[in-house]
Amino acid sequence: MKPRSRQRLRRVVLIALQMLVLIIVLIPFFWMFSVSLKPANEPFAIPARLWPDNPTIENYKTAFQPEFRRYFLNSAIISLATIVISISVGLLAAYSFSRFQIRGFGFLLVAIILAQMFPVATIIIPIFKMVREAGLLNTYFGLIIAYITITLPVSIWMLLGFIGNIPPDLEESAMIDGASRFQAFWKVVVPLARPGIVATAVWIVVVTWQEFMFALAFTQTREMRTVSVGMNDYIGQYGIRYGELMASSVMFSIPIVVVFFILQRQFVAGLTAGATKG
Amino acid sequence: MTAQPAKSTRSDRRHWGRGAYSGREALLALAFLVPAVILVGLLMYYPMILAFVESLYETSFLNPEPEFIGLQNYRDMLQDGGFWQVVRNSLFWTIGVVLFQNVIGMAVAILFNQDLPFRGLSRTLVLLPWVLPGIVAAILWRFMYDPQLGLINSILISLGLVDKSIPWLAQPSTAMLAVIIAAVWKGFPFSTVIYLAALQIVDEEQLEAAQIDGANAVQRFRYVSIPAMVHIIFLNLLLTTIFTFNYFDMIWVTTKGGPINRTHIFPTTIFQIGFGEFRFGEAAAYGVVAVLLLAGLAVLYILQLRTGDDRI
């Protein structure tokens, strides 16, 4: 074969592979959306039809009941509080680790990084008991505490990467101009670390928005359910009404997908910053 | 999951007073750390110790007052066939998911690193399964595998590959394979993103030089690209291994560990024994074994980070 037609063949094969990957990735999404638009009797057609004959938004109306709205609100409150706490505590710690070399700091940092390797299933029972004894079971605060165990070590680690890249000279000049160390941190470092803060916040929201195991164990009443547990309840409750289940799945996924698409550049940069420089 | 901080050289830290700080500075440095240290200590290390203690006690639904029984939980566990089934399942699940997730992740990263139409869009779309909430992914795949309504059976039948529906999640011979496939679909995009970033650091000139010397694509990948990326590949393998070992949602929602315990892994077993049967001591013993199984990997992870970063 001539080199040029070989080149062309290669390109055709690559594009075909690209299409194949995208089809495999996207078909379940397409199906989720398709079933969510099917009228009540249609998902049961065999063989499954790819697109409904009479698309309807009936499932969305049924699924978006007050109960589901409550789940949404709960998930949003818990995610937001977890972000605020993890980021503020994480920023302070990351700054301290990055700027001070004090005996014992290296050990503490390793201890914190090690903590993110702990199996959540192992600590869930002790944390459950601690939260129960504190009377915080079935409260927002109980779940926020649980989520901090997942998010704080990673937040410190991610933020450390960003703060480590900010030249210390900048704070030094601020301090020469009369700022205190804390002012220098707050007015110089924090604004410069913003891309890192955004990337970390996106990671936290991706994790907490969908967290399932803690939420399943720590919430006992309908009013305290998060969306993920509420969705799991739907499976048994309605003898699997797939149309509604898929409609709620779409509604549950959209916020996180939208957040992700808006911030994906920063997020992917944050995710991979260390990996490539390490 | 995690990003690792960029290297900061010792010299730019020395800039700050060569490790000698005024009393106030040192105090502030400590004050900044206190909230994090308290939270990580109280919410991770303390519960970890409690889990060890708990595993030495017996509690049950009928007898909620914990009774000290020493290592009895461990003895019972080791003699119980169910425990070894969980170990086998966990190994099979973890190795299966990690292997396919990383191989496919790398292959797609190489593919999407080529000059292709809509490359940027493709790279974004491929991340969708990873962003999709875990519970939704699990419900979706449960639906995909459904013998009556599922798309997978429909496709296989209409292609003539099988002649009747297969209950993928309900029969012992296929359940594990089915959950592994679903987990790989959900997880490979993460590896793709990391490997795409890794491919950017491979030296173009070295690749060209190798090509001029007559190395084919496979040889170039083997002898130029892989050595450049080895640190990242190793880190990613570690992270995905730990993450997969601890992955709960997919199995809990699709099979709950069934059929006949064929897909029970450590997290689902611990949850089932602890919160389903209120046998906290036994669940804690499973948890301690899970920690021990992961401990070696965690140490490797720390060592690997140490070599990549002089900070710790």
Side-chain angles (χ1 to χ4, degrees):
Chain A
M1 234 187 300
K2 279 187 201 146
R4 250 187 81 191
S5 55
R6 241 181 81 177
Q7 274 292 331
R8 195 171 297 159
L9 179 70
R10 190 182 111 98
R11 197 171 156 76
V12 169
V13 170
L14 287 180
I15 292 176
L17 282 172
Q18 179 191 23
M19 292 302 135
L20 184 70
V21 170
L22 289 179
I23 285 172
I24 290 172
V25 163
L26 295 178
I27 267 200
F29 287 94
F30 173 76
W31 208 45
M32 173 167 88
F33 188 55
S34 153
V35 172
S36 78
L37 295 176
K38 285 184 181 178
N41 53 346
E42 231 190 284
F44 296 91
I46 303 171
R49 228 162 284 153
L50 271 184
W51 194 250
D53 297 332
N54 309 300
T56 162
I57 58 161
E58 214 42 51
N59 290 320
Y60 286 86
K61 283 192 198 150
T62 326
F64 199 64
Q65 48 189 313
E67 206 171 52
F68 190 73
R69 291 200 287 263
R70 175 74 198 220
Y71 299 156
F72 248 80
L73 182 70
N74 293 343
S75 287
I77 291 172
I78 292 166
S79 291
L80 205 66
T82 308
I83 288 177
V84 171
I85 297 173
S86 298
I87 299 266
S88 38
V89 174
L91 265 176
L92 291 173
Y95 180 75
S96 196
F97 279 130
S98 156
R99 295 298 195 257
F100 297 94
Q101 276 209 306
I102 293 176
R103 192 184 295 271
F105 272 28
F107 170 79
L108 279 180
L109 182 56
V110 171
I112 286 174
I113 294 161
L114 199 61
Q116 57 172 300
M117 308 274 102
F118 290 174
V120 174
T122 303
I123 54 175
I124 190 171
I125 287 169
I127 293 182
F128 176 81
K129 288 186 148 185
M130 285 163 66
V131 167
R132 190 177 61 185
E133 265 156 47
L136 293 173
L137 219 50
N138 213 30
T139 64
Y140 289 138
F141 203 61
L143 262 189
I144 293 165
I145 286 173
Y147 289 173
I148 287 172
T149 66
I150 308 175
T151 57
L152 183 59
V154 181
S155 302
I156 294 174
W157 198 218
M158 281 178 83
L159 291 168
L160 192 59
F162 284 93
I163 291 184
N165 277 342
I166 300 172
D169 312 20
L170 297 172
E171 300 133 74
E172 195 183 29
S173 2
M175 284 164 75
I176 289 168
D177 290 345
S180 70
R181 167 75 81 163
F182 186 80
Q183 283 169 331
F185 162 76
W186 185 245
K187 297 218 168 101
V188 178
V189 177
V190 172
L192 287 172
R194 226 179 66 186
I197 294 174
V198 171
T200 312
V202 174
W203 183 83
I204 296 175
V205 84
V206 168
V207 170
T208 54
W209 182 250
Q210 57 173 312
E211 200 286 330
F212 180 59
M213 185 167 30
F214 274 120
L216 192 60
F218 284 36
T219 60
Q220 283 146 351
T221 59
R222 276 275 152 71
E223 301 85 71
M224 289 309 298
R225 291 282 202 236
T226 61
V227 191
S228 55
V229 181
M231 299 252 324
N232 187 53
D233 284 353
Y234 284 151
I235 300 183
Q237 210 181 339
Y238 302 118
I240 313 203
R241 300 226 300 252
Y242 274 120
E244 282 163 43
L245 197 55
M246 289 299 118
S248 4
S249 293
V250 171
M251 288 189 285
F252 180 31
S253 309
I254 279 176
I256 198 74
V257 171
V258 167
V259 167
F260 179 77
F261 267 91
I262 294 172
L263 299 169
Q264 55 116 353
R265 263 173 204 288
Q266 272 168 312
F267 177 63
V268 173
L271 201 65
T272 54
T276 47
K277 283 173 197 149
Chain B
M1 266 208 329
T2 57
Q4 169 201 352
K7 216 182 278 189
S8 85
T9 59
R10 269 180 203 285
S11 61
D12 62 33
R13 256 191 330 267
R14 287 244 170 87
H15 200 79
W16 278 104
R18 298 172 203 288
Y21 307 102
S22 68
R24 270 185 69 175
E25 289 268 277
L27 214 62
L28 192 75
L30 286 176
F32 272 25
L33 270 190
V34 165
V37 170
I38 289 181
L39 283 175
V40 172
L42 190 70
L43 298 176
M44 310 216 66
Y45 281 91
Y46 179 59
M48 209 57 164
I49 296 165
L50 286 185
F52 277 92
V53 175
E54 180 87 51
S55 72
L56 305 175
Y57 285 81
E58 181 174 25
T59 22
S60 61
F61 194 62
L62 294 173
N63 180 19
E65 203 54 45
E67 185 191 337
F68 184 80
I69 54 165
L71 294 173
Q72 192 60 44
N73 279 326
Y74 294 92
R75 270 196 289 274
D76 291 350
M77 198 166 68
L78 293 175
Q79 280 161 14
D80 178 19
F83 170 76
W84 295 106
Q85 173 90 50
V86 171
V87 173
R88 265 197 308 276
N89 291 345
S90 279
L91 279 178
F92 205 68
W93 156 260
T94 308
I95 294 173
V97 174
V98 169
L99 198 69
F100 287 116
Q101 176 174 325
N102 279 280
V103 169
I104 295 172
M106 178 67 89
V108 174
I110 294 170
L111 177 66
F112 284 9
N113 201 36
Q114 312 290 322
D115 180 25
L116 293 170
F118 306 110
R119 189 170 69 163
L121 181 66
S122 304
R123 285 179 175 189
T124 304
L125 288 177
V126 84
L127 253 178
L128 274 177
W130 187 70
V131 185
L132 188 73
I135 179 90
V136 172
I139 291 172
L140 187 55
W141 276 90
R142 191 177 149 154
F143 190 16
M144 299 271 292
Y145 283 126
D146 190 293
Q148 265 84 52
L149 315 170
L151 191 61
I152 290 180
N153 279 310
S154 287
I155 290 175
L156 291 177
I157 289 174
S158 53
L159 289 177
L161 291 172
V162 296
D163 48 11
K164 64 177 187 346
S165 281
I166 296 169
W168 296 98
L169 293 167
Q171 62 183 24
S173 57
T174 52
M176 183 55 96
L177 180 71
V179 288
I180 287 177
I181 290 173
V184 169
W185 177 85
K186 173 95 170 83
F188 90 85
F190 177 76
S191 301
T192 296
V193 176
I194 299 293
Y195 290 141
L196 263 172
L199 284 168
Q200 311 313 312
I201 59 171
V202 178
D203 189 2
E204 286 291 330
E205 284 175 22
Q206 274 189 33
L207 283 175
E208 276 167 33
Q211 188 164 19
I212 291 165
D213 291 345
N216 63 32
V218 175
Q219 288 167 329
R220 291 199 299 275
F221 182 67
R222 168 71 189 79
Y223 295 105
V224 181
S225 303
I226 287 191
M229 298 190 290
V230 71
H231 176 80
I232 301 167
I233 294 173
F234 187 71
L235 210 57
N236 199 39
L237 281 173
L238 273 176
L239 281 177
T240 47
T241 303
I242 289 164
F243 180 66
T244 307
F245 185 90
N246 294 325
Y247 192 18
F248 171 78
D249 314 13
M250 180 62 80
I251 289 185
W252 189 260
V253 174
T254 50
T255 65
K256 269 211 171 167
I260 47 171
N261 295 338
R262 256 333 156 81
T263 56
H264 251 314
I265 57 170
F266 274 91
T268 59
T269 310
I270 294 168
F271 198 88
Q272 171 64 36
I273 298 176
F275 295 105
E277 300 158 24
F278 298 103
R279 290 183 288 150
F280 285 148
E282 213 184 314
Y286 268 93
V288 170
V289 174
V291 173
L292 294 177
L293 285 175
L294 284 183
L297 292 177
V299 170
L300 275 181
Y301 176 72
I302 298 291
L303 289 177
Q304 178 72 7
L305 291 179
R306 258 175 196 277
T307 58
D309 189 323
D310 64 4
R311 188 191 341 246
I312 54 171

